[in-house]
Amino acid sequence: MAAPVTPAARAEDSEAALNAALADVPELARLLEVDPYLKPYAVDFQRRYKQFSQILNNIGENEGGIDKFSRGYESFGVHRCADGGLYCKEWAPGAEGVFLTGDFNGWNPFSYPYKKLDYGKWKLYIPPKQNKSALVPHGSKLKVVITSKSGEILYRISPWAKYVVREGANVNYDWLHWDPEHSYEFKHSRPKKPRSLRIYESHVGISSHEGKVASYKHFTCNVLPRIKDLGYNCIQLMAIMEHAYYASFGYQITSFFAASSRYGTPEELKELVDTAHSMGIIVLLDVVHSHASKNSADGLNMFDGTDSCYFHSGPRGTHDLWDSRLFAYSSWEVLRFLLSNIRWWLEEYRFDGFRFDGVTSMLYHHHGMGQGFSGDYSEYFGLQVDEDALTYLMLANHLVHTLYPDSITIAEDVSGMPALCSPISQGGGGFDYRLAMAIPDKWIQLLKEFKDEDWNMGDIVYTLTNRRYLEKCIAYAESHDQALVGDKTVAFWLMDAEMYTNMSVLSPFTPVIDRGIQLHKMIRLITHGLGGEGYLNFMGNEFGHPEWLDFPRKGNNESYHYARRQFHLTDDDLLRYKFLNNFDRDMNRLEERCGWLSAPQAYVSEKHEGNKIIAFERAGLLFIFNFHPSKSYTDYRVGTAFGTFKIVLDSDAAEYGGHQRLDHSTDFFSEAFEHNGRPCSLLVTLSFVSCHIIHKSDIPKITA
């Protein structure tokens, strides 16, 4: 019988394990210094980092390094050679035979067979015509023909296809060989990484007020100037990777290397990105590597006739809630495919980084379904974590930041996994930011469930400041999720049907519209100022877009009425939408000058429940919010630093639909009177349901 392990021996083993982890992970000590509660999980960080390092080393030994490995799109798919011939390559490990067919050979399925290579790869060379021109011209239709081991003949689109279209009433997409004689030439260099990130979440297809699918050209000419004027320095483009079902919002990808043809051509998307760069705006791609569409005729599913290939076989390969397929992240060729996909969008289209969708689903075998995530650290480690997927995300972040150090990656993770946004050298995931997904949930909860007088100031502040130290967050009051049919935007929760009848400046303020306009501004500013190190807004929500978002589908008779953005409402001087638009613009412009998003987290000096006052300081600015639905205050004492202050942004100003109750020429003099933990304080007047930013008087008032 073995002797029992003593507490001293256990402690000695634990100390030895910690030292081994610190030796293996270069900067793990820094992570544990920032958060000592992670020490019991040092071996988990060690294992993750070693798995990442081992795969990176294997790629180096077997593929010549990740730089070469991530260029899979240069050989896989169909490519014109220097001699005018075509080189074709596919990975189809479950296929019995592979062939290329299309317009070029009268759709003969078997006249151009691929040669079988090792590891499930197949290649084909098609010589040029006698005049040295390619046998397959630009724009011609192609298919990969797969003969399965069961004898089926399957017509497939190459996973590496660069352009697919749906013509007329066709259900499925067609693969068009994209090889234009003159491709778009970029004219502008990439902007430098912004000091503060202000993101305009955008969808090209809904960017027009007309009931149709808008184009890349429309977005470039009409929406980019608005984004620039509003003071955003980053666009996050949704639904770009091709998806057969428009109403999926771009989250059921069928062709990962193809820019969606419903908006125009690849060259027109390149022009959009290039034009944004000319305005100093960086462009992020909403990348979906968490799952793929179940489509087989025009998607990745069953590509080689098996249920595996790019995905896990059996139940593990299907997401029950999303009804989609799940990648096998441990597969060598899947890693090549996904990492090459990342590089393709960076190199071919010059995107400046990515917002990774569905990261929570990737990180855990349970995909976050039925999980509340209380914050207990044991939830983030152990057998429930899919470390193959986590390793892929580390590799993707390593690749992105090695290729372009100024690139930005954002994780859509609701779980709050520790160190996801810490450097890989610390054992972290390597993301730059995570979305602060609890913030919009809190605002919707308050608007749905509580009277104004019952809002809890401490609860609001806690939600806005509850983030991991040194892991940056993107704060937002609402994103596309809250705009979708079945939910309501903040503006709709506040004003609802009155938005259709009482938004004219020719009619007096109703209590509903007055409250709605004032709270809409306050919710945005406090989220912007207190909630994170970056800020995000979904297109149209900045001016209180009056309708939800619903894509054409059978349930609404294929209507485009709600799949649009009515930007023209802000241009109408007779409507009050302009006030919200003006406030959003000036809020962003003031941040550009003062840089609170890139400043250390705010110091909150007051969260008074009875008075409904929140006050905090950040980047030398004093933010004061009066959420009381009916009480104004004169000579209200607020703690601050020493100095003379002036109002630089006031939600109660006339240009923002306010009541002009404050004199902006007033100087506020702080005195050496300690208050709420601050060395000095000053007296201010606070109107009910309004907010102000004041700054030392060397900062001029924001102007349009």
Side-chain angles (χ1 to χ4, degrees), residues 64-76:
I66 197 169
D67 178 78
K68 186 177 178 182
F69 187 62
S70 61
R71 295 177 182 269
Y73 53 82
E74 292 182 352
S75 58
F76 285 86

Side-chain angles (χ1 to χ4, degrees), residues 540-556:
N541 285 0
E542 71 278 0
F543 65 85
H545 195 279
E547 290 173 343
W548 54 85
L549 184 59
D550 189 17
F551 287 86
R553 54 188 173 84
K554 286 183 179 179
N556 63 14

